[in-house]
Amino acid sequence: MIGNERHSLPGVIGGDLIRHGKIPVLVFIAVLVSALMVVTTAHKTRLLTAQREQLVLERDALDIEWRNLILEENALGDHSRVERIATEKIQMQHVDPSQENIVVHN
């Protein structure tokens, strides 16, 4: 005799999965988790790559500034060296341009 019971399709599918399909359900969940982790890792990698590029640009700008400061230091160092040699070896003195009296040594 055939019963007139009504079963809902989602209930039948769920019951079959619980009874006979535990491994496929676990594999499906594992695939979903793995896919989400891949997407998250790719996103973080892109963010870190962009941050690294920004840091490289900043490093390059600082390197250029450092080179310019070294050049400036060398230029100023050369001037002070010339001034020191002039005062020590040939006894030159600074002249104040605002002074009206000029002293001439014979």
Side-chain angles (χ1 to χ4, degrees):
M1 199 179 223
I2 298 178
N4 287 345
E5 294 181 24
R6 297 268 248 168
H7 297 286
S8 67
L9 183 59
V12 171
I13 293 173
D16 283 347
L17 285 177
I18 291 173
R19 274 184 256 128
H20 305 291
K22 291 178 184 172
I23 292 178
V25 169
L26 291 176
V27 170
F28 178 72
I29 291 171
V31 167
L32 286 180
V33 169
S34 174
L36 288 173
M37 291 179 72
V38 166
V39 169
T40 303
T41 303
H43 178 68
K44 287 181 180 180
T45 302
R46 286 187 184 123
L47 289 177
L48 289 173
T49 302
Q51 183 181 11
R52 181 184 176 276
E53 290 299 320
Q54 181 63 35
L55 290 173
V56 166
L57 290 174
E58 288 178 25
R59 184 197 65 196
D60 290 345
L62 289 172
D63 190 40
I64 290 169
E65 184 178 353
W66 173 253
R67 288 180 191 158
N68 288 337
L69 288 171
I70 293 295
L71 289 173
E72 183 179 347
E73 180 184 37
N74 289 338
L76 292 175
D78 288 344
H79 179 71
S80 64
R81 180 177 171 270
V82 169
E83 184 178 353
R84 181 177 43 81
I85 291 171
T87 56
E88 290 176 0
K89 291 189 177 180
I90 56 177
Q91 287 76 38
M92 293 182 75
Q93 298 177 356
H94 286 283
V95 177
D96 188 5
S98 64
Q99 290 181 345
E100 294 179 18
N101 299 332
I102 299 176
V103 178
V104 178
H105 296 292
N106 288 329

